[in-house]
Amino acid sequence: MTSGGYRGKILKVNLTDRTINVETPDENFYRLYYGGRALIAHYLLKEMKPGADPLGPDNVLVFATGPLTGGPFAGSGRNSVGARSPLTGAYGDGEAGGYWGAELKRAGYDAIVIHGQAAEPVYLWIKDDQVQIREASHLWGKKTADVEEAIKNELDEKGVRITQCGLAGENLVRYACVVNDLTHFAGRSGMGAVMGSKRLRAIAVRGTEPVPMADAAAVRELGRWLSQNVQDLAGGMRDLGTTGTVMSLNISGGLPTHNFRDGHFAGAEKITGETMRDTILKDRDTCFACPIFCKRVVETDEPYRVDPIYGGPEYETLAALGSLCGVDDLGAVCKAAELCNAYGLDTISTGVSIAFAMECFEAGLLEAKDTEGKSLHFGNSQALVELVEQITRQEGLGALLARGVKAAAEDIGPEAIALAMHVKGQEIPMHEPRLKHGLGLGYAVSPTGADHCHNLHDTAYTKAGGALKDIHPLGILEPIPADDLSLDKVRLYKQVTNWRTFSNCSVQCYFVPWKPHQTLALIQGMTGWNASLLELVQVGERAVNLTRCFNLREGFTAADDYLPERFCEAFTSGPLEGVAIDREALENARIAFYRMSGWDDDGVPSREKLYDLGLGWLAEDMAN
Amino acid sequence: MTSGGYRGKILKVNLTDRTINVETPDENFYRLYYGGRALIAHYLLKEMKPGADPLGPDNVLVFATGPLTGGPFAGSGRNSVGARSPLTGAYGDGEAGGYWGAELKRAGYDAIVIHGQAAEPVYLWIKDDQVQIREASHLWGKKTADVEEAIKNELDEKGVRITQCGLAGENLVRYACVVNDLTHFAGRSGMGAVMGSKRLRAIAVRGTEPVPMADAAAVRELGRWLSQNVQDLAGGMRDLGTTGTVMSLNISGGLPTHNFRDGHFAGAEKITGETMRDTILKDRDTCFACPIFCKRVVETDEPYRVDPIYGGPEYETLAALGSLCGVDDLGAVCKAAELCNAYGLDTISTGVSIAFAMECFEAGLLEAKDTEGKSLHFGNSQALVELVEQITRQEGLGALLARGVKAAAEDIGPEAIALAMHVKGQEIPMHEPRLKHGLGLGYAVSPTGADHCHNLHDTAYTKAGGALKDIHPLGILEPIPADDLSLDKVRLYKQVTNWRTFSNCSVQCYFVPWKPHQTLALIQGMTGWNASLLELVQVGERAVNLTRCFNLREGFTAADDYLPERFCEAFTSGPLEGVAIDREALENARIAFYRMSGWDDDGVPSREKLYDLGLGWLAEDMAN
């Protein structure tokens, strides 16, 4: 094994026959796949039967860490959860912060690969090399905090960390999330539903072995440097978390509003991070080893009583459940968010689904008979909160919306399809492509469907200096305007996406202000490898190609790399009035991205590209 | 400008109208093109008229340094010389060690770009910002040592460094080289003939300003580390230089012998580096700031009196003028080498041309009437020495051979063509592709024709450990057998070639045992840039694509990426008896290399690949 960074063990659990095994891959395996997305996609391609039902026993569910997980520095507490997505049918994963990932690593595992389906509800209990599948029928149907408490009580062990799927996952809501430590969420792609389908309510972990480090002094020094400079580097993140974005996006005209019909929200000021800070913010929270404290904890009283045990909304949640639904009642937004957290619902997909229903209602595509008499106008805060309950329980209109906007629109009828804001079935996150055109390309081609990890590609790199200088080592020297979709933008997109996808493989937090060379130094310090930025970017590109090939195998085509038409229609008001994405420019950029990636015009990676990424086995599989 | 590494000035000289200008490119120019090959190819594409006669006034001749040139550490004394090659008609360049490159940098220039043609012989005299074009008729026709002495005397300035073309360059021998400080040679591609055609006999330089360094302490520390460990790191190079290779290649069956007909030479022991060391070696020499001392200085007496002022043969020379011609008389080999040096002839092309003539003679394709009665059998050491004189003066058979084996074979007739060992018109260097099959691919696709800088790709990477571990940062983890031409080998070839081509751009010595991360640290220390290995490899790939596009513009096609048939014929004796390169495997590898490079099956880079390399301007030029 490696001299550090990894434990060298992959825990394999089959819930059907209740077998538990440990695999010990060699060092080259880790150096090719690192962790997170690349490692998950590798296991899905190798171990999931093509065409497996995402909610059936043949789906393979992977909890993965990366080489940085558990290290003594900011951004190392995360883990990734991946499987074939029940929301999209494509490759799916989500990442969560907190402490669970680091705990798994300390228990001695780099990842858990789960096959099969339990006959009755179970949870997994991992204490170092002791692994048990335990009955969980008594936990079924409970809120996450109750499950957390119950498991901790029955294990009678200090420092247990728990990840779970929530009630939404049990009920197979297609965008049910996975919840770590109650307040950290692997939100996207419906991984909670996959857990629910396997009747795996939770995984409790306790690890007692520190993660080995090849060069502990170098790693600790970087960690110390960040801690000592955290106010300068990330003081804004501590003050407002991501919620500071509400105001700035509203000013620039890119705050998703009224189901993406608008980019400017009249009630924005009532739901900003600043307002939240000055009114209901009770505390700030953070993740393993992180001095930034970007997480919010809110508490409200009547009419919407919000329990601080579930944390509080980040930017995506404020916009999805707020401006997107036209709701400017911060208490209602926080209550809806709290329920999403307590039930294990992805707040983005939940918000988009509700906003979709509201627009359908306003357009007459849903009527009172569909809504149990509710008036679903934009801005109806009470309906917002009620729908979160209904979606979770698959009741009434909630049963329709629990399948995601793509499936719901297909049910409602042709006119609804234009209002369904998704790519590949995954709901659009709270970043507006008409503000940052490269993001439109990113949404379209992302393997997981629309994904907010494609944010930041544009506006940060329109000026020389700061953020642009940080990506000079990726070979990008010149600023490129945010509304550009030229080949230079495609290049920027590709390079930055490979780099960000590497973060999905090292399972590193995007919010920690490590520069690329510092990330590299952390990788080197943890593993002892003579790694380079070239190697890291190639790992990212490897993950991009692994997930692409998985999707091709599962029947996806270039036609699925499609951005909703709404983004090609101009805003009729607000700071971006008149601005739209040019469809032809976008389609040209998409083809250029394929070609630049070594893919053909149908988006299929060439045999040579796969070999170039060290994926000869996949090239051979794809040829057969 | 940058905070270090560069001077920010390009000296532009037009010899036709005797104008002298200085260009001051911006920092991004340097960060895209670095120096050497990429910078030269950029100027050729931008400033040379398509179809320009390589020996006419429209050819553009560039002397280029790189970001490391002049730094206080081993490998920093070099410079590159490039132009359209009169030997191949393709992109041409050669690199030389010594002191001249560092001196040019200290004079304040990163490169000299020369246009036009002087009416009478001239030389250039550069003393910091004073630049003169001086008459050189009195130097014309002289040996290099006489020119060196004459210029030094007339300039009356200490520390002048001189590069010159020699008599062979004056006489337009197509493979005339450029000579630095008498004993350092930019050997390949006929750059001496380009100097000669411009009637530019020499460039004398004196610079008094140290090269700026962004982080002098870090750079000096690396230089010190190498000096302190030079015995461990490069003791063998000091002991034998490159000449130690003669014996090891002969043992493995890959010592080019009898015009590549054989790979094993009965007389090898008489011309090994060990024999040379134990008999005629007078001294060891080195380059600017280099503690390695890999250069040989030999002195012999009758029958072949060799003047130590011209140094002594390295491996390429021993093999080209020795085993390749079947000559095992070390004195004769050293004499032929001394003449090549004194006249400015590339020893590789000279040796291959003479070996070609010998095989033609043995095959009856050349007869006594063609050779002025000489018996040109392999092993005729006297004929070897005489032919060097004749080639230089374009006399007798020498006039034919001075055009290179491709042109000579076309003159002699169809049967001679199979005996002409070249790619694109450039003679094959002293490395046998049947020993290292990836080298066959390298020869075939190299922009400059067969090029010994493609050596080492294979045998070093067939085992885990050492050399293989060094290229882990380039993304290569697994050893690949030397006789393999699979897609994995193509990948290895591409990655290593991009890295080595970066050395052609940083104008760094291949022989200094810097590992990739140390090279990167030197680049960072000199320039102050946040450069990465990704950036460096991309600079190399940029140069590969610039030179490819130049060649396409000048009429080259995929058909020119052709390895001589002889390498696909099995050795009939020696350790590699029965071994040949499989033509079909080679052709498959060639196409795979194109595709892996983002080129079409005709070897044309895609528009998207050029944009991906930041070469949008070239994509637009190629489209027009």
Side-chain angles (χ1 to χ4, degrees):
Chain A
M1 254 316 295
T2 80
S3 58
Y6 293 97
R7 308 309 304 258
K9 291 195 293 186
I10 308 285
L11 183 63
K12 308 282 290 273
V13 177
N14 186 315
L15 292 174
T16 301
D17 59 19
R18 296 187 166 232
T19 52
I20 294 167
N21 291 295
V22 172
E23 273 182 13
T24 55
D26 67 10
E27 180 165 354
N28 279 359
F29 171 86
Y30 286 100
R31 199 149 177 185
L32 269 176
Y33 302 108
Y34 269 64
R37 183 167 286 188
L39 186 141
I40 294 165
H42 168 271
Y43 275 107
L44 287 184
L45 281 159
K46 292 266 195 185
E47 301 193 356
M48 194 199 90
K49 287 183 200 158
D53 177 359
L55 296 177
D58 289 338
N59 201 355
V60 177
L61 175 66
V62 184
F63 292 78
T65 67
L68 302 180
T69 312
F73 47 84
S76 69
R78 295 172 75 76
N79 72 283
S80 187
V81 190
R84 185 176 187 197
S85 165
L87 183 62
T88 66
Y91 173 85
D93 72 25
E95 280 182 27
Y99 300 80
W100 188 89
E103 200 69 29
L104 179 67
K105 198 79 165 279
R106 289 201 296 217
Y109 307 101
D110 303 304
I112 311 174
V113 179
I114 297 166
H115 287 255
Q117 187 173 46
E120 300 294 329
V122 296
Y123 74 95
L124 210 57
W125 163 226
I126 300 167
K127 166 85 189 288
D128 296 331
D129 55 358
Q130 302 298 310
V131 181
Q132 295 175 5
I133 298 171
R134 295 171 66 113
E135 298 314 308
S137 297
H138 59 296
L139 306 173
W140 212 245
K142 286 194 157 58
K143 285 191 177 182
T144 53
D146 300 331
V147 169
E148 175 102 359
E149 191 184 359
I151 291 178
K152 285 186 171 172
N153 283 341
E154 71 189 53
L155 292 177
D156 192 25
E157 171 85 32
K158 274 188 189 153
V160 174
R161 296 294 178 178
I162 294 165
T163 191
Q164 57 171 314
C165 66
L167 184 55
E170 291 179 7
N171 290 342
L172 307 182
V173 175
R174 296 304 188 274
Y175 43 84
C177 67
V178 173
V179 185
N180 288 0
D181 313 312
L182 294 186
T183 56
H184 306 272
F185 307 92
R188 315 269 16 230
S189 301
M191 295 300 107
V194 179
M195 279 187 86
S197 75
K198 294 190 178 302
R199 299 193 181 88
L200 175 66
R201 177 60 204 245
I203 306 178
V205 179
R206 175 74 178 116
T208 59
E209 285 272 336
V211 178
M213 293 184 274
D215 185 348
V219 168
R220 288 211 176 87
E221 178 55 34
L222 273 159
R224 246 192 318 269
W225 172 86
L226 191 109
S227 293
Q228 283 163 358
N229 295 284
V230 69
Q231 187 53 37
D232 287 346
L233 292 164
M237 278 300 272
R238 178 189 293 251
D239 182 33
L240 291 173
T242 57
T243 65
T245 315
V246 174
M247 205 52 188
S248 62
L249 283 181
N250 197 50
I251 289 167
S252 59
L255 180 69
T257 301
H258 301 132
N259 198 32
F260 292 98
R261 208 172 57 196
D262 302 316
H264 186 81
F265 181 44
E269 249 181 278
K270 297 189 191 167
I271 59 165
T272 62
E274 291 82 348
T275 300
M276 200 164 88
R277 176 195 61 198
D278 299 340
T279 57
I280 60 174
L281 191 73
K282 180 188 164 73
D283 204 355
R284 293 175 174 85
D285 198 4
T286 197
C287 297
F288 177 80
C290 186
I292 297 178
F293 283 76
C294 78
K295 302 274 180 173
R296 312 290 90 182
V297 180
V298 300
E299 185 167 19
T300 66
D301 214 327
E302 303 300 336
Y304 296 106
R305 188 182 288 272
V306 170
D307 187 344
I309 197 172
Y310 291 112
E314 301 190 61
Y315 163 71
E316 297 290 331
T317 302
L318 282 179
L321 301 172
S323 55
L324 199 77
C325 295
V327 172
D328 64 5
D329 179 335
L330 184 60
V333 170
C334 290
K335 183 66 196 177
E338 181 223 54
L339 291 175
C340 286
N341 295 355
Y343 296 143
L345 279 178
D346 174 31
T347 55
I348 297 173
S349 286
T350 303
V352 175
S353 296
I354 294 171
F356 162 78
M358 288 174 163
E359 190 169 6
C360 283
F361 186 86
E362 293 204 344
L365 304 173
L366 289 175
E367 298 173 4
K369 69 176 168 55
D370 305 307
T371 67
E372 296 143 332
K374 269 198 287 286
S375 165
L376 265 194
H377 286 287
F378 281 119
N380 184 338
S381 53
Q382 195 181 335
L384 169 77
V385 175
E386 285 171 12
L387 275 171
V388 173
E389 291 278 2
Q390 284 194 309
I391 289 168
T392 303
R393 301 179 198 285
Q394 301 237 25
E395 290 170 359
L397 183 61
L400 182 70
L401 298 181
R403 295 165 57 209
V405 297
K406 178 170 185 278
E410 285 164 1
D411 255 35
I412 294 171
E415 288 170 83
I417 286 174
L419 311 183
M421 300 306 290
H422 72 90
V423 174
K424 296 186 180 71
Q426 173 133 285
E427 286 72 18
I428 307 280
M430 298 302 112
H431 303 275
E432 172 53 69
R434 282 166 286 192
L435 178 64
K436 308 173 254 191
H437 291 207
L439 177 60
L441 174 63
Y443 283 163
V445 302
S446 162
T448 57
D451 182 342
H452 61 302
C453 299
H454 286 287
N455 185 33
L456 294 183
H457 286 156
D458 287 336
T459 45
Y461 305 132
T462 54
K463 292 196 291 277
L468 182 67
K469 185 155 191 270
D470 290 347
I471 60 166
H472 281 178
L474 306 181
I476 306 287
L477 301 174
E478 303 277 0
I480 303 170
D483 63 356
D484 178 301
L485 274 171
S486 70
L487 281 163
D488 287 322
K489 174 60 67 65
V490 173
R491 177 189 185 220
L492 170 69
Y493 169 77
K494 180 177 76 72
Q495 287 296 90
V496 173
T497 295
N498 286 341
W499 176 244
R500 291 197 141 226
T501 304
F502 172 73
S503 289
N504 293 131
C505 301
S506 62
V507 200
Q508 200 186 357
C509 182
Y510 287 165
F511 294 158
V512 180
W514 298 120
K515 293 184 195 294
H517 282 296
Q518 292 174 315
T519 295
L520 175 61
L522 289 170
I523 294 280
Q524 291 171 334
M526 290 297 288
T527 61
W529 295 341
N530 59 356
S532 67
L533 278 183
L534 175 66
E535 172 176 331
L536 273 45
V537 168
Q538 208 171 56
V539 169
E541 193 179 2
R542 195 171 289 127
V544 168
N545 281 268
L546 285 161
T547 51
R548 184 83 190 172
C549 288
F550 178 84
N551 287 353
L552 289 165
R553 194 186 80 172
E554 300 305 326
F556 283 78
T557 71
D560 296 300
D561 293 345
Y562 191 80
L563 190 72
E565 187 57 25
R566 171 156 284 177
F567 296 124
C568 299
E569 294 160 2
F571 282 119
T572 56
S573 67
L576 292 181
E577 185 178 342
V579 173
I581 287 191
D582 182 75
R583 174 67 68 184
E584 191 185 341
L586 178 65
E587 292 303 292
N588 289 341
R590 179 175 61 82
I591 297 291
F593 170 70
Y594 292 171
R595 294 179 183 170
M596 220 178 261
S597 300
W599 304 352
D600 69 15
D601 286 3
D602 293 323
V604 179
S606 74
R607 180 176 169 77
E608 290 76 16
K609 168 52 76 174
L610 295 178
Y611 267 92
D612 193 27
L613 293 169
L615 297 174
W617 62 269
L618 183 56
E620 300 306 328
D621 280 2
M622 296 282 287
N624 295 325
Chain B
M1 256 314 299
T2 80
S3 56
Y6 292 96
R7 308 311 303 261
K9 291 195 294 185
I10 308 287
L11 184 62
K12 306 284 289 274
V13 177
N14 187 315
L15 292 174
T16 301
D17 61 16
R18 296 186 166 234
T19 51
I20 294 167
N21 291 295
V22 171
E23 273 182 13
T24 55
D26 66 11
E27 181 165 354
N28 278 0
F29 171 87
Y30 286 99
R31 200 151 177 183
L32 269 177
Y33 302 108
Y34 268 65
R37 182 166 287 187
L39 185 141
I40 294 166
H42 168 272
Y43 276 108
L44 287 183
L45 281 159
K46 291 267 194 184
E47 300 193 356
M48 194 198 90
K49 287 182 198 158
D53 176 1
L55 297 177
D58 289 338
N59 201 353
V60 176
L61 176 65
V62 185
F63 292 79
T65 67
L68 302 180
T69 312
F73 48 83
S76 70
R78 296 172 75 77
N79 72 283
S80 188
V81 191
R84 185 177 187 196
S85 165
L87 183 62
T88 66
Y91 173 84
D93 71 26
E95 279 183 27
Y99 301 80
W100 189 88
E103 201 69 30
L104 180 67
K105 199 80 165 278
R106 289 199 296 217
Y109 308 100
D110 303 305
I112 311 173
V113 179
I114 297 166
H115 287 256
Q117 187 173 47
E120 301 293 331
V122 296
Y123 73 94
L124 210 58
W125 164 227
I126 300 167
K127 167 84 188 289
D128 295 331
D129 56 358
Q130 302 297 309
V131 181
Q132 294 175 7
I133 299 170
R134 294 172 66 113
E135 298 312 311
S137 297
H138 59 297
L139 305 174
W140 210 245
K142 285 192 158 59
K143 286 191 177 181
T144 53
D146 300 331
V147 168
E148 176 103 358
E149 191 185 357
I151 291 178
K152 285 187 171 171
N153 284 340
E154 71 189 53
L155 292 179
D156 193 25
E157 171 87 32
K158 275 187 187 153
V160 173
R161 297 293 179 178
I162 294 166
T163 193
Q164 56 171 315
C165 66
L167 185 54
E170 291 180 7
N171 291 342
L172 307 182
V173 175
R174 296 303 189 274
Y175 43 85
C177 67
V178 173
V179 184
N180 288 0
D181 313 311
L182 294 185
T183 56
H184 306 272
F185 307 93
R188 315 268 15 230
S189 302
M191 296 299 107
V194 178
M195 280 188 85
S197 74
K198 295 190 175 304
R199 300 194 181 88
L200 176 66
R201 178 60 204 246
I203 306 177
V205 179
R206 175 75 177 118
T208 60
E209 285 270 338
V211 178
M213 293 183 275
D215 184 349
V219 168
R220 288 211 176 87
E221 178 55 34
L222 272 160
R224 245 191 318 269
W225 171 85
L226 191 108
S227 293
Q228 284 163 357
N229 295 285
V230 69
Q231 187 53 35
D232 287 347
L233 293 164
M237 279 298 273
R238 179 189 292 252
D239 182 32
L240 291 173
T242 58
T243 66
T245 315
V246 174
M247 204 51 187
S248 63
L249 283 181
N250 197 50
I251 289 167
S252 59
L255 181 67
T257 301
H258 302 133
N259 198 33
F260 292 97
R261 207 173 55 196
D262 302 316
H264 186 80
F265 182 43
E269 249 181 278
K270 297 189 190 167
I271 59 166
T272 62
E274 292 81 348
T275 300
M276 200 165 87
R277 177 195 61 197
D278 298 340
T279 57
I280 60 174
L281 191 73
K282 181 188 162 76
D283 205 356
R284 292 174 173 85
D285 197 5
T286 197
C287 297
F288 176 81
C290 185
I292 297 178
F293 283 76
C294 78
K295 301 273 180 173
R296 311 290 91 183
V297 181
V298 301
E299 185 167 18
T300 67
D301 213 327
E302 302 302 335
Y304 296 106
R305 189 182 288 272
V306 170
D307 187 344
I309 197 172
Y310 292 112
E314 301 190 61
Y315 163 71
E316 297 289 333
T317 302
L318 283 178
L321 300 172
S323 55
L324 200 77
C325 295
V327 172
D328 63 6
D329 179 336
L330 185 59
V333 172
C334 290
K335 184 65 196 178
E338 180 224 56
L339 291 175
C340 285
N341 295 356
Y343 296 143
L345 279 178
D346 174 31
T347 56
I348 297 172
S349 286
T350 302
V352 174
S353 296
I354 294 172
F356 163 77
M358 288 174 163
E359 189 169 9
C360 284
F361 186 85
E362 293 202 345
L365 304 173
L366 288 176
E367 299 173 4
K369 70 176 168 55
D370 304 308
T371 67
E372 295 143 331
K374 270 198 287 285
S375 165
L376 265 194
H377 285 287
F378 280 120
N380 185 338
S381 53
Q382 195 181 335
L384 168 76
V385 175
E386 286 171 12
L387 275 171
V388 173
E389 290 278 2
Q390 285 194 309
I391 289 168
T392 304
R393 300 177 199 285
Q394 302 238 23
E395 290 170 359
L397 183 60
L400 182 69
L401 299 180
R403 295 164 57 209
V405 296
K406 178 170 186 277
E410 286 164 359
D411 254 34
I412 294 171
E415 290 170 81
I417 286 174
L419 311 181
M421 300 306 290
H422 72 89
V423 173
K424 295 186 181 70
Q426 173 133 284
E427 286 73 18
I428 308 279
M430 297 303 110
H431 303 275
E432 173 53 69
R434 281 166 288 191
L435 178 64
K436 306 172 255 190
H437 292 207
L439 178 59
L441 173 63
Y443 283 164
V445 303
S446 162
T448 58
D451 182 342
H452 62 300
C453 299
H454 286 288
N455 186 33
L456 294 183
H457 286 155
D458 287 335
T459 47
Y461 307 132
T462 54
K463 292 196 291 277
L468 181 68
K469 185 155 190 270
D470 290 347
I471 60 166
H472 281 178
L474 305 181
I476 305 288
L477 300 174
E478 302 277 0
I480 303 170
D483 63 356
D484 178 301
L485 274 171
S486 69
L487 282 163
D488 288 322
K489 173 60 67 65
V490 173
R491 177 188 186 221
L492 170 69
Y493 169 76
K494 179 177 77 72
Q495 287 296 89
V496 173
T497 295
N498 286 342
W499 176 245
R500 291 197 142 226
T501 304
F502 172 73
S503 289
N504 294 131
C505 301
S506 61
V507 200
Q508 202 186 356
C509 182
Y510 286 166
F511 295 158
V512 180
W514 299 121
K515 294 183 194 295
H517 282 297
Q518 292 174 315
T519 295
L520 174 61
L522 289 169
I523 295 280
Q524 291 172 333
M526 290 297 287
T527 61
W529 296 340
N530 58 356
S532 67
L533 278 184
L534 174 66
E535 172 176 331
L536 273 44
V537 168
Q538 206 172 58
V539 169
E541 193 180 2
R542 195 171 288 127
V544 169
N545 280 268
L546 285 161
T547 52
R548 184 84 190 171
C549 288
F550 178 84
N551 288 352
L552 289 166
R553 195 186 79 171
E554 300 304 326
F556 284 78
T557 70
D560 296 301
D561 292 346
Y562 190 80
L563 191 71
E565 187 57 24
R566 172 156 285 177
F567 296 124
C568 299
E569 293 161 3
F571 282 119
T572 56
S573 67
L576 293 180
E577 185 178 342
V579 173
I581 288 191
D582 183 77
R583 173 68 67 186
E584 191 184 341
L586 179 64
E587 292 303 292
N588 288 342
R590 180 175 60 83
I591 297 291
F593 170 70
Y594 292 170
R595 293 179 185 171
M596 219 177 262
S597 300
W599 303 353
D600 69 16
D601 286 2
D602 293 324
V604 179
S606 73
R607 180 176 168 76
E608 289 77 15
K609 168 52 78 172
L610 295 178
Y611 268 93
D612 192 27
L613 292 168
L615 297 175
W617 62 268
L618 183 56
E620 300 306 329
D621 279 3
M622 296 282 287
N624 294 325

